[in-house]
Amino acid sequence: MDCDKGFSSRYMILKPEELRLFDLFNILFSSDIGKRKFLDSAEAKEESFERRWLIFISIVVQKMLKLFSTPLSFLGSMIEMWLNLLSCNGNFFRLLFNLLRGRLIIPDKTSATFISFIGNFDKRLELDKDIAREDSRYNAALSMMASKASYENKAYLQTIVGDYWKMEFLGFYDYWNDYQDKDTTQVFLFRDKTDNKDTTVIAFRGTEPFDADAWCSDFDISWYELEGIGRIHGGYMKALGLQKSTGWPKEEINQNDSRKAPLAYYDIRKILKEILAKNNEAKYIVTGHSLGGALAILFPAILAFHDEKMLLQKLEGVYTFGQPRVGDESFGQYMEKKLKENDIIYYRFVYNNDMVPRLPYDDSALMFKHFGTCIYYNRHYEPQVVKEEPNKNYFSPLRAIPMMINALMELIRSFTIVHTKGPNYREGWFMRLFRFIGLAVPGVPAHCPQDYVNATRLGSAQVFLLPQNASN
């Protein structure tokens, strides 16, 4: 068993590396799950076929991702290199011209000008100058830009934080995942400091499209139940720093000789304590897009689990964008209580038909639930404060046609927004290409950073002045 019973007495852990084909298919026809080598569960039986089917799908997807992780990574690298070749040389025709002249500019992957696959959707570097620090939108807008930037390399981050945002870059870190035996989690920190403000921002990187390890964290529907807290998504716990064999002890225990980097939760906690000790008035916020959003809200959950009162009191807010569900209803109730006790702001932003916040399903089979204040934006970037985004599980035949019509209107908007909102909202060809994909699968382009940056800049500031947990 991979977890200590003192840490969690109820759990369901998937182990794709120990998969046996016969067991995999047999689980569909037998409720006896206690003897499956690829599954470790506190329950001997699972009567629900729907849950067994989801276990089957999760295991198969993770196994396929592991199998094709190398070619997937190679494909991603080639696409990123091609996009940066085009950018460095101007356009396709100038690239050919430079090639013929022997003056082709080859991008350096470690340079400040190299942009990730995600970064090519939205190349904006500057913060919105119309949103001052006193503006109620400021932390949300800054958090979204940080979440977008978190997909980039260290040199890029140092440049954008120092040269464009005029803030202090504190570091970029790769963190270990004991269960995947490699560094899978990336985080960067910077400091927004003025005469009357000292805020450290922690930005967790989301799922990169060609990163099989990050996708495995998303598709891993393992769960652990913490006593008095609830059930939490196992893939996200592992990415944050769950320790193999020991779970969540108060301190990191280095029992894994192959661990070549620190665990995210423990190292960030240590860094924060060092920073905050220098200034009694200092605060911090945590943010992330997609998977990064899940890790951002899970971080204070583990702080509360460890009764880290000082760090909870210094936490000004958690801002997540396109965040998937993290735990069950009990977990949500526990977190709402802890957030309220420590006066912590938690805003969960959802743009229109974004598929990811609607996953994993909110149903009896998976038991995952959202909590906190959801700020939902339609395609006009008009916000509503709601308890749950519309069409909460995404796949609904009745919603298919309206979503496709909406995707068509977003595609049309991509050509007109520069005239209605100004040059800072111009969309490039790469984002427009994804808008076309959205005609078939509306939830894909809606998850891109472009719309979340637009929403935090163009949306009304009034939603941040309403009481949290309000609903329309």
Side-chain angles (χ1 to χ4, degrees):
M1 186 174 66
D2 284 334
C3 69
D4 182 274
K5 285 192 176 182
F7 151 63
S8 175
S9 58
R10 299 192 68 190
Y11 50 85
M12 192 277 288
I13 310 161
L14 302 183
K15 299 184 286 185
E17 68 279 4
E18 298 187 25
L19 176 65
R20 293 188 301 190
L21 198 59
F22 173 78
D23 273 352
L24 177 63
F25 285 96
N26 194 41
I27 198 172
L28 294 177
F29 305 100
S30 172
S31 63
D32 182 6
I33 62 172
K35 297 179 180 178
R36 309 295 169 211
K37 194 171 183 182
F38 65 86
L39 192 155
D40 189 3
S41 175
E43 307 293 334
K45 299 280 187 180
E46 179 51 80
E47 300 295 343
S48 170
F49 174 79
E50 189 177 0
R51 290 184 192 176
R52 298 202 307 274
W53 170 249
L54 290 170
I55 290 171
F56 176 90
I57 294 296
S58 177
I59 284 286
V60 169
V61 170
Q62 289 184 72
K63 198 68 177 177
M64 294 297 290
L65 284 167
K66 290 295 185 183
L67 182 63
F68 293 103
S69 62
T70 300
L72 188 64
S73 177
F74 178 77
L75 174 63
S77 295
M78 291 300 98
I79 294 175
E80 279 189 348
M81 182 59 72
W82 173 249
L83 291 171
N84 281 274
L85 269 171
L86 290 175
S87 179
C88 287
N89 290 277
N91 55 48
F92 179 71
F93 296 104
R94 294 189 68 176
L95 186 152
L96 290 178
F97 183 59
N98 287 345
L99 180 63
L100 292 173
R101 294 190 303 160
R103 296 182 179 179
L104 184 67
I105 302 173
I106 305 296
D108 176 3
K109 284 191 172 186
T110 62
S111 74
T113 58
F114 192 90
I115 305 174
S116 70
F117 181 90
I118 295 291
N120 273 279
F121 289 119
D122 183 354
K123 295 183 179 181
R124 285 174 285 189
L125 302 174
E126 298 277 5
L127 300 177
D128 190 332
K129 292 181 173 59
D130 292 331
I131 302 178
R133 284 183 169 86
E134 298 76 26
D135 194 311
S136 58
R137 295 173 294 170
Y138 178 78
N139 277 351
L142 176 63
S143 293
M144 184 54 225
M145 286 296 287
S147 296
K148 181 173 79 77
S150 67
Y151 290 95
E152 308 304 331
N153 65 51
K154 183 177 180 180
Y156 178 102
L157 293 171
Q158 286 178 308
T159 300
I160 193 173
V161 170
D163 296 350
Y164 289 89
W165 301 353
K166 306 302 180 184
M167 298 177 189
E168 181 185 356
F169 177 77
L170 297 178
F172 172 80
Y173 305 93
D174 283 305
Y175 288 120
W176 200 252
N177 185 322
D178 263 359
Y179 291 78
Q180 295 188 22
D181 207 27
K182 59 176 68 175
D183 50 349
T184 66
T185 303
Q186 289 74 38
V187 183
F188 95 97
L189 284 75
F190 64 97
R191 193 176 188 180
D192 180 11
K193 191 174 187 303
T194 63
D195 291 339
N196 53 11
K197 179 183 176 73
D198 187 353
T199 303
T200 296
V201 180
I202 303 165
F204 287 89
R205 178 181 292 182
T207 304
E208 296 176 277
F210 301 95
D211 184 348
D213 298 316
W215 282 110
C216 282
S217 294
D218 289 320
F219 278 98
D220 183 359
I221 62 169
S222 302
W223 55 264
Y224 299 84
E225 183 172 325
L226 301 186
E227 186 176 354
I229 297 178
R231 297 183 181 185
I232 305 175
H233 189 289
Y236 302 146
M237 292 181 80
K238 295 169 186 175
L240 186 62
L242 184 71
Q243 299 188 56
K244 206 166 188 177
S245 302
T246 57
W248 285 117
K250 182 88 170 180
E251 304 297 335
E252 180 176 346
I253 301 171
N254 193 4
Q255 293 181 338
N256 187 343
D257 293 336
S258 66
R259 193 182 293 163
K260 298 180 177 65
L263 301 173
Y265 166 77
Y266 295 97
D267 196 56
I268 295 170
R269 188 182 66 178
K270 181 183 73 173
I271 293 170
L272 273 176
K273 287 181 177 179
E274 292 172 356
I275 293 171
L276 298 174
K278 298 174 183 177
N279 181 1
N280 289 333
E281 302 302 316
K283 299 278 188 178
Y284 70 99
I285 60 178
V286 189
T287 188
H289 168 258
S290 191
L291 166 64
L295 300 182
I297 190 57
L298 187 52
F299 180 76
I302 306 305
L303 288 178
F305 179 63
H306 288 153
D307 197 28
E308 293 283 356
K309 293 180 181 178
M310 185 276 285
L311 290 179
L312 289 171
Q313 290 168 359
K314 294 282 189 177
L315 176 54
E316 185 175 353
V318 180
Y319 299 82
T320 71
F321 305 87
Q323 171 212 314
R325 296 181 175 100
V326 176
D328 67 2
E329 186 173 6
S330 296
F331 173 72
Q333 292 171 349
Y334 172 83
M335 284 303 296
E336 287 183 338
K337 177 184 175 184
K338 291 298 179 181
L339 293 170
K340 185 176 181 180
E341 285 177 355
N342 293 281
D343 198 24
I344 300 169
I345 293 171
Y346 170 42
Y347 286 120
R348 182 175 63 84
F349 295 84
V350 177
Y351 170 73
N352 210 4
N353 292 316
D354 186 350
M355 184 189 299
V356 175
R358 284 133 171 132
L359 299 171
Y361 283 173
D362 177 354
D363 60 15
S364 59
L366 284 176
M367 302 166 289
F368 289 98
K369 303 280 185 183
H370 275 310
F371 64 93
T373 303
C374 173
I375 301 184
Y376 172 79
Y377 293 87
N378 62 20
R379 75 167 183 270
H380 303 293
Y381 303 117
E382 296 168 340
Q384 287 180 291
V385 178
V386 296
K387 289 184 177 179
E388 184 72 78
E389 58 274 9
N391 190 24
K392 68 177 183 178
N393 284 335
Y394 186 77
F395 294 103
S396 168
L398 296 176
R399 298 279 299 184
I401 293 177
M403 284 196 297
M404 290 177 183
I405 293 173
N406 188 81
L408 175 62
M409 299 307 294
E410 288 176 329
L411 175 60
I412 295 171
R413 185 193 63 196
S414 72
F415 292 93
T416 62
I417 192 170
V418 65
H419 304 294
T420 59
K421 302 299 181 184
N424 286 333
Y425 297 92
R426 183 186 302 276
E427 292 190 12
W429 68 268
F430 194 52
M431 187 65 225
R432 286 176 183 164
L433 174 63
F434 265 69
R435 298 285 189 204
F436 275 102
I437 293 174
L439 298 178
V441 191
V444 173
H447 189 58
C448 294
Q450 178 90 27
D451 286 314
Y452 281 102
V453 173
N454 290 352
T456 54
R457 295 183 177 194
L458 297 173
S460 170
Q462 289 300 112
V463 293
F464 299 103
L465 304 178
L466 296 173
Q468 289 204 47
N469 300 316
S471 63
N472 287 352

